[in-house]
Every structure is written in structure tokens, then in C-alpha cells.
């Protein structure tokens, strides 16, 4: 969950580290720190955001260094617990992303040998252990230390008087960026894309010895030649470009993402990829967490309705603790980041059982993409806001494509779906232009403490997603419910201070939903209906109507999602919340 960065080159490291750390902040932002190497190591760290540390930092000269943005696991966010951590003599500095599971045992052992610890973190033991093994070769000492450590990690190590960085990863992401006489190491590509597009993806177990003009990677005891990938993420993709928040920018990108996703279908090779995913299978399981889990729930409706294949959707975090794993013919794992620990654990188990897996992810080279049989990239570009928005829409598109381009669907259904999907981006553009209705609703919600979202059928998951989005960024307590379920308990919470957002679509659920709305109104709750049509059926039974474009039922989650995303965004904006970096959260959740 933390972000780590390393730099070695000819330029002053300090400014570069701060720049990259600000781009890594979405991974954790409760504290941060840097260490600059050279004859001696100088370090500064603090509780709070990178900008605060940067503004108060003295100038530290040096052309190599490491930095860290933290999402606390062991120990409260404060300057002492912030990284980098040091050995006893302040000669070895380490930044770490991950969790060490045998840390108590290792700390005890090191204390018995006279090591003194200052922080409450597990990470601090790493420089001490390296110090124990150091006999003149830093890489050798790092490797020996890592042999003793259990858990997940990505680390970068800096030692005084050595013009090298050592980096290593195990179940936490780490990439190396190469430029002219300078090298960057980072938790992800967007952090360094301003400086280079030449990227080397480290694999689990790799250790890299990095100087400004040379990288040596050791994999399975052998030094390998690094494979350099030229990636096409641009700086504009990681800037706000005039928007107040990344979240709004990312929602506004959705029509283009839909178009790009459908453009993939003009290439026969891509179509073939979609044909291959669902073939002769008798059952499918979809796994994911948070927003990606909600995409999976929509996927169930799409696949079951269009293909008639039973789909089980599991919270990946729950699956991890089952005594018995039921292995379906196909498992689809959905994970925007491709690094969510709760998804990786079952995915690895499935891989070990030789179960067939497909991953839908937005991050090229992510761990999930490397441990599955096939990968569908959502190509949504970097998503910086902690709240997932455009990547959710892109995930839905992948689910539509694997369904309607599957080799087992009839041609008419495919052609119909294709035609309808092609019209959606234009409709979404028009909807985004009528922003005021979402602003009004957001403002109204911002004055309340409790909100319900309800939906039926394929829009029930969108009610869940609306509630997740609202609570995540506005801190308003929100619950998503199936329209028919709200009377089975939650009715007890309804009153004039509890608004209900109801998703009403022209489909088989419409009449039942209208009955639910009337029942809610009778309990005095304000009802705001998100509807694809405004007619006499809903006159007088709602306090406000938000209109979304009419699209066929199976595609209605696209427009309804965008509506709830915007409502959540404006709700948080009216409350003055830090929308892109909500408290206590991180974009990539690499701990179980
Ligand atoms: O990277 P993933 O899709 O695996 O992430 C899963 C969840 O952590 C994520 O969707 C989370 O719920 C979002 N912050 C919601 O906006």
C-alpha cells in the first residue's frame, strides 16, 4: 500500500524524489520521508503529506536517494514510524512496501544481538538485518537478509559511501525506469513516467543492483539481461489538466474509454482474444474486491442472461479463508491495480491447482496479470483518484465483450449488442453535459448523514457501488440495497432525514421498483429517482428525478454508474472532503 521510489543519476535527487513521491501518494499518504546518499546519508521524514515535508525541507545535496509514502500498518503515522528506516549506525537506509509476517521473531533475535529499535514498525528490522550480514557486498547482505524474512515486500536499499541502490521485490510491485545516465525505481510506472518511458518490470524474487549507468538483475541465482519495455503513458494522463480533482477528470474520460474499448473490436486478433475467454464451460466464478467485486456482480447478470452459464461471484477476501475451494471451469479475477493482496492469494492458489483463470486489470505487468492464464487489459490509462471510476466502466466493457464476443453466442445477439454499445459513448457525453442535476443531488446529500441506494436486477450492484463511492469520498454513511430487500429490515432506519436514491430502469423490474419507491415515500424518506424516462408513473412519488439516457436494460449499469459516481463526487465536494485521497484509504491494497 505504500509507495517507494529510488533515484540515481546526475541530478539533485531531492527534487526528483519529492516529485515522484507526490505521484505515489495515492498509495498511502499518512507520512513520508526521504534519504539522500553519498559520503553520509541524510534523511528527513514527517507525518502528513509530501508537500508539507517538501515545503519545510532543508536542501540536501546528493544525486542518489530513496523515498517513501506510507499507509500505516504497524504503528501510528508519525515521523519515527515513517520510512526510510536505518540500521544501528545510520549507514544503511531502507524503504519498504509490504508486511513482514515473522517480524516479532526477527526483532527479538536482533535485539538479543544488541540492535536497538526506535519505531513500532516491522520494516525497521530490514536495515538491521542487512547490517548483520554486511561484509563488504551490499547485494549479498540484502539477499541473505531477505532469505530470513517472510511476508510481502518491495524494498530499495541505500548505503552510505556506495554509489548504488539495491532493489528487490516479493509480492509487491516494483519497476525500474531507465533514462540517459539515470535510473529510477518505483512502486509503479506513473510515478516516473515524467522522466522515462523505458521500463523494466521486476519479477517476484528478483534483486537488482543499480548504478546510474548499469542494472544487474539476479533472478533464480542467475544474472539476467533486463527486458526494457517502451510504455505509452504520457504526462498529461497523470495531471489534473484543469480539473479540481482527478476523480472528476477520470469520470469525464469515460466516454473516450468506452470508445477506445470498442475500437479494440476492429482488430481480428483482439476479437479472437475475447472469443477464447468463455468457450465450453459449465460454470464460471468471478472474484474481486470493492468496486471490482461490484463489476463482477454486473458480470453475473450479463453472462447468465446472454449465455445461460451459471456465474458465482465471490469476494476475493472471503475466498482466502475457505477450507475447501470449489474450482469452476473458469475463474475471472477483476482487479484494477492487479496488486490487491486479497485477489492475489486465491489467484495463486487457483494457479497452483491448474485451474483456468483470466484476469481483467488496468495495470500492464501487474502481479495478477503474470499469474493467470490470460489477461484482458482495460486500457483505461492511469487512475490516480483512490475512488475507482473509469476503471469500473472499463471493467464492465470487458465483461460485455467477453460475453457478446464469446464463441458461443449467436450472431444476432452479438450484432445487436455491438450496435447498442456503439451508441453509448455519445449518450454518456450528453449526460455529462447536464451536470447540474448531479450537483444539486450531491449538495442535498451533503447535508445528510445517512443515505440509501436501491436498485434491482442488473442495477442492484450499481446501488452497492453508489453507496461505496459516496461513503468512501464523502464520509456519509451509505448503504446499497436490492429494491425488494429494503423492507426486510432497513425500513426501520427510514425517516425524513434519510434520503434514498432509487435506480429506476425501463425493464422487468420497473413496476416492482415503483412500488418500493411508494413504500419508502410513505415512511417520509426523501426519494431521488435516477430514471431513464420521466413519465406520469413517477410523478408525485419522488422528490427529484435525475434523468439518464435510455439504453437497453443490459447496458443500463454504464449510465447509472456514471450518475452515482457524479452524485458521490459532488456530495464530497460540497462537504469539502479531500476527494482524491480519502482518509485511511489507499489505492492499491497490498495487505490481506
Ligand atoms: O485494484 P482493485 O480493483 O483490486 O481494488 C479493489 C478495491 O480495493 C477497490 O475497488 C476499492 O474498493 C476502491 N477504492 C473503490 O473506489
Amino acid at each position: 500500500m505504500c509507495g517507494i521510489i529510488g533515484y540515481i543519476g546526475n541530478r539533485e535527487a531531492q527534487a526528483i524524489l519529492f516529485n515522484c513521491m507526490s505521484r505515489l501518494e495515492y498509495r498511502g499518504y499518512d507520512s513520508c520521508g526521504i534519504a539522500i546518499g553519498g559520503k553520509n546519508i541524510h534523511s528527513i521524514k514527517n507525518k502528513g503529506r509530501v508537500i508539507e515535508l517538501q515545503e519545510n525541507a532543508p536542501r540536501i545535496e546528493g544525486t542518489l536517494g530513496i523515498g517513501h509514502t506510507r499507509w500505516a500498518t504497524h504503528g501510528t503515522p508519525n515521523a519515527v514510524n515513517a520510512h526510510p528506516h536505518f540500521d544501528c549506525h545510520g549507514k544503511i537506509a531502507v524503504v519498504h512496501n509490504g508486511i513482514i509476517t515473522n517480524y516479532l521473531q526477527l526483532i527479538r533475535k536482533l535485539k538479543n544481538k544488541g540492535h536497538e529499535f526506535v519505531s513500532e514498525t516491522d520494516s525497521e528490522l530490514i536495515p538491521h538485518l542487512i547490517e548483520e550480514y554486511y561484509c563488504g557486498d551490499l547485494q549479498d547482505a540484502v539477499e541473505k537478509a531477505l532469505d530470513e524474512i517472510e511476508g510481502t515486500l518491495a524494498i530499495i536499499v541505500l548505503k552510505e559511501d556506495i554509489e548504488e541502490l539495491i532493489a528487490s521485490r516479493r509480492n509487491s510491485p516494483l519497476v525500474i525506469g531507465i533514462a540517459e545516465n539515470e535510473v529510477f525505481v518505483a512502486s509503479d510506472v506513473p510515478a516516473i513516467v515524467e522522466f522515462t518511458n523505458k521500463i523494466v518490470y521486476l519479477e517476484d524474487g528478483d534483486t537488482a543492483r543499480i548504478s546510474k549507468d548499469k542494472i544487474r538483475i539476479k533472478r533464480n541465482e542467475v544474472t539476467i539481461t533486463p527486458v526494457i519495455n517502451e510504455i505509452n503513458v504520457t504526462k498529461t494522463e497523470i495531471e489534473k489538466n484543469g480539473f479540481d480533482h482527478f476523480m472528476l477528470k477520470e469520470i469525464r474520460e469515460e466516454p473516450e474509454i468506452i470508445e477506445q474499448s470498442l475500437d479494440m473490436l476492429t482488430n481480428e486478433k483482439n476479437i479472437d482474444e475475447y472469443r477464447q475467454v468463455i468457450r465450453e464451460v459449465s460454470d464460471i466464478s468471478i472474484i474481486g474486491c470493492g468496486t471490482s467485486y461490484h463489476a463482477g456482480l454486473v458480470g453475473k447478470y450479463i453472462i447468465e442472461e446472454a449465455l445461460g452459464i451459471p456465474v458465482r461471484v465471490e469476494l476475493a477476501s472471503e475466498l482466502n479463508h475457505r477450507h475447501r475451494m470449489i474450482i469452476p471451469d473458469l475463474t475471472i479475477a477483476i482487479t484494477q491495480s492487479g496488486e490487491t493482496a486479497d485477489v492475489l492469494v486465491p489467484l495463486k492458489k487457483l494457479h497452483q491447482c491448474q485451474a483456468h483463470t483470466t484476469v481483467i486489470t488496468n495495470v500492464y505487468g501487474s502481479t495478477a496479470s503474470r499469474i493467470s492464464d490470460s489477461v484482458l487489459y482495460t486500457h483505461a490509462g492511469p487512475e490516480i483518484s483512490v475512488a475507482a471510476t473509469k476503471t469500473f466502466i472499463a471493467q464492465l466493457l470487458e465483461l460485455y465483450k467477453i460475453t457478446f464476443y464469446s464463441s458461443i453466442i449467436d450472431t444476432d445477439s452479438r450484432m445487436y449488442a455491438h450496435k447498442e454499445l456503439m451508441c453509448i459513448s455519445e449518450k454518456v457525453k450528453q449526460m455529462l453535459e447536464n451536470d447540474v442535476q448531479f450537483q444539486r443531488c450531491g449538495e442535498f446529500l451533503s447535508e445528510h448523514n445517512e443515505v440509501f441506494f436501491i436498485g434491482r436486477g442488473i442495477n442492484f450492484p450499481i446501488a452497492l457501488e453508489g453507496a461505496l463511492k459516496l461513503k468512501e469520498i464523502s464520509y456519509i454513511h451509505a448503504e446499497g440495497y436490492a429494491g425488494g430487500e429494503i423492507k426486510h429490515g432497513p425500513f426501520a432506519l427510514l425517516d425524513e432525514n434519510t434520503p434514498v436514491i432509487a435506480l429506476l430502469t425501463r425493464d422487468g423490474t420497473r413496476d416492482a421498483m415503483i412500488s418500493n419507491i411508494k413504500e419508502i415515500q410513505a415512511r417520509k424518506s426523501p426519494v431521488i429517482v435516477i430514471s431513464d424516462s420521466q413519465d406520469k408513473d413517477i410523478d408525485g412519488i419522488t422528490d427529484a428525478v435525475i434523468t439518464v439516457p435510455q439504453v437497453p436494460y443490459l447496458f443500463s449499469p454504464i449510465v447509472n454508474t456514471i450518475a452515482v459516481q457524479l452524485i458521490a463526487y459532488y456530495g464530497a465536494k460540497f462537504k469539502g472532503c479531500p476527494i482524491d485521497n480519502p482518509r485511511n484509504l489507499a489505492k492499491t491494497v497490498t495487505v490481506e
Side-chain angles (χ1 to χ4, degrees):
M1 329 263 276
C2 307
I4 64 175
I5 177 77
Y7 172 78
I8 181 162
N10 292 328
R11 291 189 271 173
E12 288 296 320
Q14 185 172 0
I16 292 175
L17 292 176
F18 281 136
N19 177 327
C20 299
M21 282 159 66
S22 66
R23 301 201 187 285
L24 283 171
E25 263 194 323
Y26 73 92
R27 302 177 70 89
Y29 34 85
D30 58 42
S31 50
C32 54
I34 60 168
I36 308 279
K39 200 87 197 108
N40 303 107
I41 300 179
H42 297 280
S43 173
I44 42 169
K45 15 193 216 173
N46 218 342
K47 183 179 175 196
R49 308 292 297 260
V50 172
I51 186 74
E52 295 159 32
L53 182 68
Q54 185 171 10
E55 278 172 0
N56 298 311
R59 180 161 171 242
I60 310 175
E61 284 183 20
T63 56
L64 82 163
I66 56 179
H68 188 273
T69 62
R70 181 166 185 250
W71 185 88
T73 56
H74 299 61
T76 50
N78 60 33
V80 176
N81 289 332
H83 299 219
H85 288 291
F86 287 85
D87 66 320
C88 296
H89 303 98
K91 294 184 174 186
I92 298 168
V94 173
V95 285
H96 168 226
N97 170 30
I99 284 199
I100 300 171
T101 47
N102 60 341
Y103 77 104
L104 287 174
Q105 177 194 330
L106 290 175
I107 287 179
R108 205 176 308 122
K109 178 176 138 181
L110 286 159
K111 278 185 176 166
N112 287 341
K113 292 191 169 193
H115 290 258
E116 282 177 18
F117 289 82
V118 293
S119 78
E120 303 158 278
T121 67
D122 53 345
S123 312
E124 194 186 353
L125 74 87
I126 306 173
H128 286 269
L129 206 51
I130 296 172
E131 181 186 16
E132 269 298 307
Y133 284 113
Y134 186 72
C135 298
D137 183 334
L138 187 57
Q139 179 169 2
D140 185 59
V142 170
E143 285 170 2
K144 287 190 170 125
L146 293 188
D147 281 346
E148 285 202 42
I149 294 173
E150 289 165 17
T152 60
L153 57 84
I155 57 165
I156 313 174
V157 185
L158 172 71
K159 181 166 183 323
E160 68 166 33
D161 224 5
I162 296 184
E163 289 288 312
E164 276 180 348
L165 297 173
I166 305 292
S168 189
R169 66 158 282 180
R170 263 195 240 147
N171 292 321
S172 282
L174 204 55
V175 298
I176 297 177
I178 303 168
E180 190 70 26
N181 271 323
E182 52 185 2
V183 180
F184 303 80
V185 192
S187 296
D188 65 24
V189 174
I192 53 176
V193 79
E194 183 176 341
F195 301 103
T196 179
N197 70 341
K198 294 192 173 57
I199 301 293
V200 175
Y201 292 93
L202 289 182
E203 305 240 323
D204 274 342
D206 285 358
T207 305
R209 181 191 286 258
I210 301 159
S211 56
K212 68 181 176 190
D213 48 15
K214 196 166 185 186
I215 300 166
R216 280 153 291 178
I217 298 176
K218 209 160 139 193
R219 181 172 299 163
N220 301 327
E221 300 303 316
V222 181
T223 303
I224 58 148
T225 313
V227 179
I228 300 172
N229 301 269
E230 295 224 355
I231 50 107
N232 58 5
V233 178
T234 60
K235 196 181 164 209
T236 39
E237 288 181 81
I238 52 165
E239 300 282 340
K240 283 194 200 140
N241 298 336
F243 286 95
D244 286 348
H245 299 99
F246 279 109
M247 182 176 176
L248 188 59
K249 175 191 173 227
E250 286 157 4
I251 294 173
R252 294 280 179 162
E253 285 169 5
E254 288 170 342
E256 201 185 319
I257 283 158
I258 298 171
E259 279 162 26
Q260 277 170 15
S261 180
L262 295 173
D263 276 353
M264 307 269 300
L265 296 171
T266 51
N267 174 327
E268 194 53 40
K269 189 169 154 272
N270 291 333
I271 295 178
D272 204 48
E273 256 186 87
Y274 293 108
R275 282 198 195 112
Q276 303 302 324
V277 179
I278 304 178
R279 289 189 293 176
E280 299 306 318
V281 293
S282 55
D283 64 337
I284 297 173
S285 148
I286 304 183
I287 63 170
C289 298
T291 290
S292 296
Y293 168 71
H294 297 155
L297 290 175
V298 178
K300 172 183 170 73
Y301 284 90
I302 305 171
I303 297 169
E304 289 188 348
E305 293 231 353
L307 301 178
I309 300 170
V311 180
R312 201 169 70 224
V313 189
E314 308 261 14
L315 281 166
S317 52
E318 279 298 302
L319 201 59
N320 295 349
H321 305 288
R322 293 268 174 83
H323 293 299
R324 182 168 170 175
M325 210 157 160
I326 298 169
I327 298 186
D329 288 346
L330 168 66
T331 298
I332 302 171
I334 307 180
T335 165
Q336 173 277 130
S337 61
E339 301 292 349
T340 299
D342 286 322
V343 177
L344 295 182
V345 174
L347 203 53
K348 278 181 187 155
K349 279 191 202 154
L350 287 161
H351 190 63
Q352 279 156 9
C353 302
Q354 294 177 345
H356 191 72
T357 55
T358 290
V359 162
I360 297 178
T361 185
N362 196 42
V363 180
Y364 179 78
S366 54
T367 307
S369 73
R370 283 184 282 118
I371 53 171
S372 60
D373 297 306
S374 66
V375 189
L376 297 171
Y377 287 108
T378 47
H379 300 289
E383 187 176 66
I384 312 289
S385 182
V386 165
T389 53
K390 63 175 180 174
T391 53
F392 178 76
I393 296 295
Q395 289 168 349
L396 296 188
L397 263 292
E398 291 309 299
L399 291 161
Y400 288 120
K401 288 192 288 185
I402 60 176
T403 306
F404 290 106
Y405 279 82
S406 117
S407 50
I408 54 171
I409 200 155
D410 61 279
T411 315
D412 287 352
S413 304
R414 173 179 308 145
M415 283 170 61
Y416 169 75
H418 187 88
K419 187 173 125 268
E420 292 297 339
L421 278 169
M422 288 312 226
C423 308
I424 282 189
S425 106
E426 229 14 80
K427 292 183 178 177
V428 168
K429 276 185 203 158
Q430 286 164 18
M431 170 180 164
L432 287 172
E433 273 159 29
N434 186 9
D435 206 29
V436 183
Q437 53 177 353
F438 305 112
Q439 293 189 31
R440 276 200 208 111
C441 181
E443 184 174 12
F444 177 69
L445 297 189
S446 71
E447 291 153 5
H448 293 82
N449 297 324
E450 308 267 353
V451 176
F452 278 91
F453 285 77
I454 58 167
R456 277 179 173 259
I458 198 165
N459 284 299
F460 163 45
I462 309 309
L464 297 175
E465 177 59 9
L468 174 62
K469 217 90 299 178
L470 185 69
K471 70 183 126 192
E472 181 179 24
I473 59 167
S474 74
Y475 315 148
I476 297 168
H477 179 226
E479 297 272 355
Y481 261 87
E485 280 299 301
I486 190 156
K487 59 184 175 298
H488 296 291
F491 258 29
L493 296 173
L494 296 187
D495 61 21
E496 57 279 10
N497 295 316
T498 317
V500 178
I501 312 288
L503 298 164
L504 184 66
T505 309
R506 282 207 163 267
D507 60 25
T509 68
R510 184 177 157 88
D511 291 345
M513 194 64 171
I514 289 178
S515 302
N516 297 146
I517 293 170
K518 287 180 180 160
E519 290 152 13
I520 292 165
Q521 265 230 328
R523 270 89 194 158
K524 300 204 167 25
S525 284
V527 183
I528 297 167
V529 173
I530 299 177
S531 173
D532 56 2
S533 54
Q534 195 166 8
D535 54 33
K536 60 176 176 26
D537 292 352
I538 49 174
D539 274 356
I541 62 162
T542 70
D543 293 80
V545 179
I546 288 178
T547 41
V548 294
Q550 249 181 43
V551 297
Y553 154 74
L554 268 187
F555 306 122
S556 58
I558 297 179
V559 292
N560 285 336
T561 298
I562 299 172
V564 297
Q565 289 173 349
L566 284 167
I567 290 170
Y569 172 77
Y570 285 113
K573 192 167 178 199
F574 278 105
K575 279 193 72 182
C577 295
I579 294 181
D580 289 330
N581 304 99
R583 69 182 175 214
N584 301 335
L585 300 183
K587 181 87 184 156
T588 309
V589 187
T590 53
V591 292
E592 264 189 271

